[in-house]
Amino acid sequence: MKVLRIDSSANTETSVTRDLTDKIIASLDAETVVTRDLARSPLPQITHTWAVARAVPADERTDEQRAALAQSDALIDEIRAADTLVIGLPVYNFSVPASLKAWIDLVARAGETFRYTEAGPEGLLKGKRAILAVASGGTPVGSDFDYATTYMRHVLGFIGITDVSIVAADKLALDPEATMKEAHRQIDELKLAA
């Protein structure tokens, strides 16, 4: 199994999502793990040049357009090579961190990770699994104001990844000990389901 690990927590020292992601990966039978740390190596925001370049056929792009898409191409190749994505998802102000949103903007590309059909959009990265390691002070996963996991499920499904599991440490401000115990139990369940 090839795993793509994506860390997005700005907290690089005592991050709950990084800890959970470590434990999830340790529970998987991974042949290789590629790590993309969005806090330590921030991604650029999309630009006008990028937006224009993505609509130009690959064999007609200028050198500037190819350069503008190079990072996006590399990120998409990482997903294509992976069997499983393990994504650290801290909830910032009810949603995903800006660093993770930048990654999403760079990988959600028509003709590369999804396409439009007469029946609607179709994801092109099928047959992969994603595990979200979620941490939040008090935004319960699945609640009406949980925009992070619902958004991630939608985006991943949009590009074809519909097998999405969640390990939730979503009540850290209320009872950190019980919250972490429950998250570790969920990781044990993932092991049993694999």
Side-chain angles (χ1 to χ4, degrees):
M1 175 192 312
K2 296 176 182 174
V3 174
L4 173 59
R5 172 186 178 147
I6 300 172
D7 287 309
S8 62
S9 175
N11 181 352
T12 59
E13 301 301 320
T14 58
S15 164
V16 170
T17 59
R18 289 172 188 270
D19 179 57
L20 292 175
T21 301
D22 285 341
K23 288 177 174 49
I24 291 166
I25 289 174
S27 76
L28 299 173
D29 188 21
E31 177 185 317
T32 59
V33 178
V34 171
T35 299
R36 174 66 62 178
D37 192 325
L38 304 175
R40 290 187 172 107
S41 299
L43 296 172
Q45 300 293 311
I46 58 173
T47 64
H48 171 75
T49 303
W50 184 93
V52 170
R54 70 190 162 100
V56 174
D59 59 347
E60 296 177 21
R61 291 181 186 138
T62 66
D63 289 343
E64 179 186 28
Q65 290 171 332
R66 280 191 290 279
L69 292 175
Q71 178 76 72
S72 175
D73 291 338
L75 296 172
I76 292 168
D77 286 345
E78 287 176 352
I79 300 171
R80 284 185 180 131
D83 301 304
T84 299
L85 284 70
V86 179
I87 302 173
L89 177 59
V91 177
Y92 291 177
N93 301 309
F94 310 103
S95 191
V96 302
S99 61
L100 187 56
K101 179 62 168 72
W103 178 83
I104 291 164
D105 288 344
L106 290 168
V107 301
R109 274 178 52 196
E112 296 290 335
T113 58
F114 71 93
R115 68 180 175 180
Y116 293 109
T117 71
E118 289 182 12
E122 176 189 4
L124 301 175
L125 300 176
K126 297 174 182 167
K128 299 179 184 301
R129 177 184 187 196
I131 303 169
L132 305 178
V134 181
S136 131
T139 301
V141 166
S143 68
D144 288 344
F145 49 96
D146 167 23
Y147 305 110
T149 64
T150 53
Y151 176 67
M152 286 304 298
R153 279 185 186 275
H154 179 77
V155 166
L156 291 167
F158 187 76
I159 63 174
I161 304 171
T162 57
D163 181 359
V164 180
S165 302
I166 295 176
V167 171
D170 57 355
K171 296 177 182 76
L172 289 164
L174 305 172
D175 189 345
E177 188 175 325
T179 297
M180 291 308 295
K181 184 177 180 180
E182 172 59 17
H184 291 161
R185 184 195 65 73
Q186 293 170 30
I187 292 170
D188 289 340
E189 281 187 4
L190 285 176
K191 282 191 261 186
L192 295 172

